[in-house]
């Protein structure tokens, strides 16, 4: 692309010299934001490790295993597959934007959104099951296993709801971002000259996906073989 | 002579008299602005308001402490007063003051950029700050909060009957404002430097803001989640931190101080950046040991993350980890001392003049020396156990956070005031205010070192009669300090209309911000400047300016 096209593109913001600078700033900004996000989820992972290790209360080790047996592995696995599929569609979307293929781009963005919504629906079904089984922490929490594990079991579910809740909140934000990206894509905003917004939103989406990749084994697969 | 040469080099080519202030009119043009300079002004107005709110709480505290008996307030009210003083001053004044006001205004100018990388996010960060601050004000009107600004569990989650949840949410929202500012600064420094402005030609303010931004990005989210967990524990009555329900109160203290110790460096690092600028300018010399000062900012940012548990020495952490954290804490003194030595060395054989910013900067060095060295006392395990939770600690952190940071903030406001407003300020009054602040501050807080050493515990509204003399001295000092803070408010407002107009570079300082007219136009620079000189190299800078005549 010529120097002129680079400095006169309609998407160029007034305070940047050219699109390259604008793109580099946007991408770097998202990477730094994801570092912040790691530190945002970090304390929850740390708290999980602290209680799961049993270093404070040894009974928590078995309690976490017992509590994880209440999880629906089928639904959790389905959600994992749904999210990984959505990461693929996002990556393909960036590719189709780079190669000026509008129709496949729109299709990929729609598929991404459908995956995101499907994830939240399945998560909602799971939450509903937990409520029905009185596993939501607090006054209504009811533990039907060994009584000495009740406290650790409740701790597991506090962390489960905090971690998956924060993750689901990020999914909602991601869906909002991709609705906006989809609208812009349908408006022909993107081309091989200008696709960084999709790439940057994709980085965020992949990050949220990766968080789930860690949450799934921690919250569903602690020790499924021990379930009798 | 020198300033004239620079002035004539700055003959503006834009329409005469147009600048960022009069480019647009009306309240909405300010509330929806994405100009970093206007956002800095919005921040300045809002943090000033909150500063005086926090200051009123401080004066009420000092008023109560004039007499040994708790006669003015009940102990509950006193708890609320020191909590609100801490919350307002830390979250709504000290954290945003230097980066969001001075940094916002100066950073793009020093980089030769037209704006920050993400102007809309910059405005969003101001709105988040305002929402957080308003929530804080609502909490005050509803009856306050009494947990201390540290929100220690399980008191904050189980026993306190005050407005804890809205307060932690206010802190959470203000935290995001801080994160977004840091994000904006880092990307701007990486990607928007003018041609020729290499990393080692950057003003030291930029290095300091870079270190600050790293801390804002890496530490603030940890506080955010810790505050959310308090809200979760309180609202659903579960026990993440409450030992009675299987939780761990020390876990909260770790998470809290993982942010709140580095947060001290969010306050002091940009303040140190201001001091580097002011010392170089009013000594008329290149800063001594540029690279050492630059890297010491990064060193402080890095080491700041390794020392949080020195707040937990008596909380029940293991002896060995206490020893390690004690050792690491002393390490922070090294880069801090490097800065102090380099500033003093810059003064040596410089042609020093004593305008108000310089008075504040020199005051900063003295205050920071005392604050920093007493930090070493506190890093020592034996002494810390003796003076823990006494006025010694209170005096120490006020020397760093008030004596140093607010001095530097005032130094910066005076130094860049001509650039921000296009007007000078009344020099005599400004020097008087600097003197009042210095005297008032020391009279307020030096007696508190003695009180703490003698064993007066912090956070009580009554004390034994033997301590009264020192407490009366402290309250008298606080009154002088209050006058010293009020005075600039009056003469700055006066200066907006009546002070003489400022030239582009009234101080003869170096740095790209002085290459633009005062006040700058909306787009900062007519043409993006090209930098061919080293930082603070005034001679090369002047040659450049003369070449342009």
């Amino acid at each position: 692309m010529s120097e002129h096209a680079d400095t006169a593109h309609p998407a160029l913001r007034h305070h940047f010299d050219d699109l390259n600078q604008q793109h580099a700033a946007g991408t770097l900004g998202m990477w730094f934001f994801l570092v912040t996000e790691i530190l945002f989820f970090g304390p929850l992972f740390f708290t999980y490790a602290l209680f799961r290790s049993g270093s404070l209360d040894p009974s928590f080790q078995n309690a976490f295993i017992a509590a994880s047996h209440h999880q629906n592995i089928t639904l959790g696995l389905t959600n994992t597959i749904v999210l990984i599929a959505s990461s693929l569609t996002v990556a393909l979307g960036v590719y189709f934007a780079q190669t000026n293929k509008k129709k496949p781009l729109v299709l990929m963005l729609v598929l991404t959104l459908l995956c995101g919504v499907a994830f939240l629906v399945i998560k909602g079904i799971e939450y509903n099951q937990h409520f029905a089984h009185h596993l939501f922490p607090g006054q209504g929490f009811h533990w039907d296993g060994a009584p000495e594990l009740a406290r650790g079991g409740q701790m597991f579910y506090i962390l489960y709801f905090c971690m998956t809740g924060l993750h689901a909140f990020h999914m909602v934000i991601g869906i909002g971002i991709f609705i906006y990206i989809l609208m812009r894509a349908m408006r022909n905003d993107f081309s091989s000259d200008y696709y960084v917004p999709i790439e940057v939103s994709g980085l965020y989406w992949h990050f949220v996906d990766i968080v789930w990749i860690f949450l799934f084994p921690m919250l569903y697969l602690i020790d499924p073989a021990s379930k009798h | 002579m020198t300033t004239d040469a620079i002035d004539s080099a700055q003959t503006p080519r834009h329409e005469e008299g147009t600048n960022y202030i009069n480019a647009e009119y009306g309240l909405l043009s300010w509330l929806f602005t994405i100009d970093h300079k206007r956002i800095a002004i919005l921040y300045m107005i809002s943090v000033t308001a909150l500063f005086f709110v926090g200051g009123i709480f401080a004066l009420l505290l000092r008023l109560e402490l004039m007499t040994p008996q708790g006669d003015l307030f009940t102990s509950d009210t006193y708890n609320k007063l020191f909590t609100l003083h801490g919350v307002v001053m830390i979250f709504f004044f000290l954290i945003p003051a230097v980066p969001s006001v001075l940094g916002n205004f100066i950073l793009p100018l020093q980089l030769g950029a037209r704006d920050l990388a993400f102007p809309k996010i910059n405005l969003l960060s101001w709105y988040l700050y305002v929402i957080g601050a308003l929530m804080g004000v609502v909490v005050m009107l509803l009856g306050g909060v009494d947990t201390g600004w540290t929100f220690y569990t399980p008191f904050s989650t189980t026993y306190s009957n005050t407005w804890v949840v809205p307060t932690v949410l206010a802190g959470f929202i203000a935290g995001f404002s801080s994160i977004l500012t840091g994000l904006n600064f880092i990307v701007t420094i990486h990607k928007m430097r003018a041609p020729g402005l290499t990393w080692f030609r950057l003003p030291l303010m930029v290095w300091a803001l870079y270190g600050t931004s790293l801390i804002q990005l890496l530490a603030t989210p940890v506080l955010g989640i810790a505050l959310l967990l308090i809200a979760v524990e309180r609202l659903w009555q579960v026990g993440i931190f409450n030992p009675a329900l299987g939780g761990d109160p020390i876990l909260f203290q770790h998470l809290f101080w993982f942010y709140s110790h580095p947060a001290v460096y969010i306050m002091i690092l940009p303040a140190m950046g201001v001091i580097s600028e002011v010392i170089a300018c009013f000594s008329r010399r290149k800063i001594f040991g540029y690279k050492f000062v630059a890297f010491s900012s990064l060193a402080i940012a890095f080491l700041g993350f390794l020392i949080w548990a020195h707040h937990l020495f008596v909380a029940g952490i293991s002896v060995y980890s206490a020893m390690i954290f004690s050792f690491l804490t002393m390490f922070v003194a090294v880069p801090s001392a490097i800065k102090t030595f380099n500033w003093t060395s810059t003064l040596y054989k410089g042609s020093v003049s004593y305008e108000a910013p310089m008075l504040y900067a020199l005051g900063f060095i003295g205050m920071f020396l005392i604050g920093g060295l007493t930090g070493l006392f506190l890093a020592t395990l034996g002494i810390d156990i003796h003076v823990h939770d006494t006025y010694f600690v209170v005096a120490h952190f006020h020397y760093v956070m008030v004596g140093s940071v607010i001095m530097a903030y005032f130094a910066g406001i005076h130094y860049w005031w001509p650039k921000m407003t296009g007007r000078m300020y009344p020099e005599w009054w400004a020097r008087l205010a600097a003197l009042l602040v210095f005297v008032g501050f020391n009279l307020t807080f030096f007696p508190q070192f003695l009180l703490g050493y003698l064993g007066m515990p912090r956070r009580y509204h009554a004390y034994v009669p033997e301590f009264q003399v020192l407490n009366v001295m402290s309250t008298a000092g606080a009154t002088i300090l209050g006058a010293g803070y009020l005075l600039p408010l009056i003469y700055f407002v006066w200066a907006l209309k009546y002070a003489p107009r400022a030239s582009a570079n009234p101080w003869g300082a170096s740095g790209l911000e002085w290459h633009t007219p005062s006040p700058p136009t909306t787009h900062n620079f007519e043409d993006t400047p090209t930098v061919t000189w080293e930082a603070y190299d005034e001679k090369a800078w002047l040659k450049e300016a003369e070449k342009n005549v």
Side-chain angles (χ1 to χ4, degrees):
Chain A
M1 98 192 70
S2 74
E3 185 68 24
H4 177 73
D6 207 23
T7 51
H9 195 281
L12 180 66
R13 306 284 314 280
H14 76 280
H15 56 295
F16 289 112
D17 293 335
D18 54 43
L19 272 182
N20 282 339
Q21 190 191 27
Q22 180 171 334
H23 291 169
T27 315
L28 189 71
M30 182 48 84
W31 279 110
F32 272 114
F33 181 71
L34 295 185
V35 172
T36 294
E37 286 278 24
I38 291 173
L39 270 293
F40 196 58
F41 280 95
L44 288 172
F45 281 83
F46 180 83
T47 307
Y48 177 93
L50 181 75
F51 288 123
R52 166 84 180 91
S53 69
S55 60
L56 282 167
D57 183 341
S59 75
F60 277 23
Q61 278 188 315
N62 286 330
F64 271 45
I65 293 170
S68 73
H69 289 159
H70 291 285
Q71 298 283 61
N72 189 330
I73 296 181
T74 317
L75 289 182
L77 184 66
T78 314
N79 255 350
T80 310
I81 294 167
V82 166
L83 267 198
I84 292 178
S86 75
S87 262
L88 176 69
T89 56
V90 165
L92 287 172
V94 175
Y95 167 76
F96 288 127
Q98 284 169 331
T99 47
N100 286 322
K101 293 182 177 125
K102 186 192 162 189
K103 270 187 188 164
L105 165 65
V106 170
L107 176 67
M108 287 304 138
L109 293 175
V110 170
L111 283 178
T112 306
L113 281 170
L114 286 178
C115 284
V117 172
F119 176 92
L120 287 178
V121 168
I122 294 173
K123 198 77 232 157
I125 294 170
E126 281 187 83
Y127 279 169
N128 200 28
Q129 288 179 354
H130 295 313
F131 280 114
H133 296 131
H134 302 286
L135 288 170
F136 187 77
Q139 301 298 319
F141 185 81
H142 176 71
W143 180 257
D144 51 8
E148 69 273 14
L149 298 183
R151 193 180 257 188
Q154 176 159 222
M155 189 64 79
F156 176 89
Y157 274 99
I158 296 170
L159 288 169
Y160 168 81
F161 277 103
C162 285
M163 295 171 103
T164 57
L166 190 63
H167 178 265
F169 177 73
H170 279 79
M171 291 292 298
V172 172
I173 302 263
I175 289 172
I177 292 172
F178 271 91
I179 289 174
Y180 171 69
I181 293 286
L182 176 65
M183 279 159 50
R184 290 188 66 180
M186 286 160 59
R187 224 168 49 194
N188 288 322
D189 273 8
F190 301 118
S191 64
S192 56
D193 287 347
Y194 182 69
Y195 57 86
V196 167
I198 311 177
E199 194 173 75
V200 167
S201 314
L203 281 174
Y204 173 85
W205 191 271
H206 293 315
F207 170 81
V208 179
D209 186 3
I210 289 168
V211 171
W212 179 259
I213 301 292
F214 283 95
L215 290 182
F216 177 56
M218 283 167 56
L219 298 172
Y220 293 77
L221 307 177
I222 299 182
D223 190 3
S226 74
K227 192 174 182 178
H228 39 88
Chain B
M1 275 302 281
T2 52
T3 48
D4 287 348
I6 295 159
D7 275 346
S8 50
Q10 293 309 313
T11 317
R13 281 191 284 125
H14 60 85
E15 204 182 319
E16 196 61 50
T18 313
N19 57 51
Y20 81 96
I21 300 171
N22 63 18
E24 281 179 281
Y25 287 101
L27 185 64
L28 289 184
S29 78
W30 284 87
L31 291 180
F32 292 106
T33 184
I34 52 168
D35 180 351
H36 69 100
K37 300 179 289 300
R38 284 181 159 225
I39 295 171
I41 301 295
L42 292 176
Y43 262 116
M44 184 157 80
I45 295 166
S46 35
V47 303
T48 305
L50 271 291
F51 174 66
F52 282 101
V53 171
I56 288 167
F57 288 126
L59 280 175
L60 292 176
L61 292 173
R62 283 316 320 166
L63 215 54
E64 165 65 62
L65 291 170
M66 263 174 63
T67 54
Q69 315 80 24
D71 33 22
L72 198 52
F73 304 113
T74 64
S75 49
D76 279 338
T77 311
Y78 186 84
N79 289 349
K80 289 176 182 172
L81 287 176
F82 73 67
T83 302
L84 292 171
H85 168 66
V87 168
V88 169
M89 283 302 199
I90 289 171
F91 293 118
F92 301 121
F93 177 71
L94 287 165
I95 297 274
V98 185
S100 298
V101 178
L102 296 174
N104 233 329
F105 196 96
I106 280 312
L107 180 70
L109 291 171
Q110 288 193 323
L111 295 176
R114 288 189 283 279
D115 206 322
L116 289 171
F118 310 116
K120 285 181 191 162
I121 290 182
N122 196 21
L123 182 64
L124 172 66
S125 114
W126 180 71
Y127 274 103
L128 288 176
Y129 168 82
V130 169
I131 293 169
L134 285 180
M135 280 177 74
V137 171
V138 168
V139 167
M140 289 170 213
L141 297 177
L142 287 175
V145 58
D146 67 349
T147 58
W149 80 278
T150 47
F151 305 114
Y152 266 22
T153 54
F155 180 72
S156 61
T157 56
T158 311
Y159 303 107
S160 173
N161 286 319
T162 53
W163 298 91
V164 177
V165 172
T167 314
V168 295
L169 292 181
F172 180 84
I173 293 168
F176 267 87
S177 156
S178 180
I179 290 174
L180 294 179
T181 301
L183 184 76
N184 225 332
F185 283 7
I186 286 198
V187 174
T188 308
I189 296 170
H190 269 284
K191 295 294 173 197
M192 304 190 66
R193 302 192 308 276
L197 191 57
T198 58
W199 283 90
F200 291 112
R201 286 176 178 173
L202 290 171
L204 288 165
M205 178 76 181
V206 178
W207 280 92
L209 285 172
Y210 190 85
T212 310
S213 306
L214 281 179
I215 305 173
Q216 287 177 310
L217 274 185
L218 296 177
T220 318
V222 176
L223 176 80
I225 215 73
L227 293 180
L228 276 191
L229 289 179
I230 285 190
V232 166
E233 177 158 334
R234 221 180 138 84
L235 292 174
W236 280 279
Q237 294 168 15
V238 293
I240 308 161
F241 303 125
N242 185 353
L245 296 167
D248 182 9
I250 308 289
L251 173 66
F252 174 78
Q253 298 184 21
H254 279 294
L255 296 180
F256 180 81
W257 289 111
F258 185 85
Y259 166 78
S260 295
H261 193 75
V264 176
Y265 303 108
I266 297 179
M267 306 168 200
I268 196 77
L269 263 180
M272 290 167 156
V274 173
I275 297 304
S276 299
E277 299 295 307
V278 172
I279 296 268
C281 168
F282 293 100
S283 306
R284 312 229 144 40
R285 278 194 63 189
K286 272 171 84 166
I287 200 107
F288 184 84
Y290 172 89
K291 281 192 181 174
F292 284 90
V293 182
F295 280 119
S296 63
S297 287
L298 297 188
I300 289 174
F302 174 71
L303 289 169
F305 277 101
L306 306 178
I307 61 180
W308 76 90
H310 66 215
H311 296 270
L312 279 67
F313 283 161
V314 299
I317 58 171
S318 86
V319 177
Y320 295 107
S321 69
M323 282 160 67
I324 291 167
F325 277 106
S326 167
F327 179 72
L328 289 171
T329 301
M330 296 193 191
F331 250 89
V332 184
V334 177
S336 310
I338 286 175
K339 281 184 189 286
T340 315
F341 286 129
N342 281 298
W343 292 324
T344 356
S345 308
T346 307
L347 296 174
Y348 180 67
K349 288 195 176 171
S351 56
V352 180
S353 59
Y354 298 98
E355 280 87 350
M358 188 61 163
L359 290 184
Y360 279 111
L362 294 173
F364 172 97
I365 295 179
M367 300 300 90
F368 181 66
L369 198 67
I370 297 176
L373 289 178
T374 50
L376 283 178
F377 292 25
L378 290 168
T380 318
L381 286 172
I383 299 179
D384 184 71
I385 287 165
H386 176 62
V387 296
H388 181 84
D389 262 351
T390 69
Y391 269 83
F392 192 91
V393 178
V394 174
H396 156 70
F397 72 70
H398 280 90
Y399 261 84
V400 177
M401 284 152 60
V402 185
S404 308
V405 177
I406 298 185
M407 288 285 247
Y409 177 67
F410 274 85
I413 289 284
H414 285 85
Y415 179 59
W416 283 302
W417 180 260
K419 184 55 61 185
M420 296 170 106
T421 64
R423 300 264 184 183
M424 299 304 289
Y425 57 82
E427 188 63 46
W428 190 87
W429 286 102
R431 288 180 188 180
L432 177 70
L435 189 72
L436 283 179
V437 168
F438 186 82
V439 171
F441 175 80
N442 280 293
L443 188 57
T444 310
F445 290 102
F446 202 85
Q448 297 189 4
F449 279 125
L450 307 176
L451 285 168
Y453 184 75
L454 295 171
M456 179 171 164
R458 61 191 284 206
R459 294 184 166 177
Y460 286 90
H461 76 317
Y463 53 86
V464 292
E466 287 89 329
F467 293 146
Q468 190 172 11
V469 174
L470 288 168
N471 270 299
V472 169
M473 284 170 70
S474 184
T475 301
T479 315
I480 299 173
L481 190 59
Y485 287 149
L486 213 53
L487 199 51
L489 185 72
I490 298 166
Y491 65 70
F492 275 143
V493 172
W494 176 88
L496 283 177
K497 207 168 159 116
Y498 301 107
R501 288 191 185 278
S503 62
N505 189 356
W507 310 120
S510 56
L512 285 180
E513 75 265 37
W514 307 107
H515 279 223
T516 61
S518 302
T521 55
T522 301
H523 292 292
N524 294 350
F525 297 94
E526 295 287 312
D527 304 300
T528 307
T530 303
V531 179
T532 53
W533 55 89
E534 301 303 310
Y536 306 108
D537 193 347
E538 215 195 337
K539 281 179 197 155
W541 195 95
L542 279 175
K543 253 183 225 159
E544 192 71 19
E546 274 157 21
K547 211 164 64 188
N548 292 338
V549 173

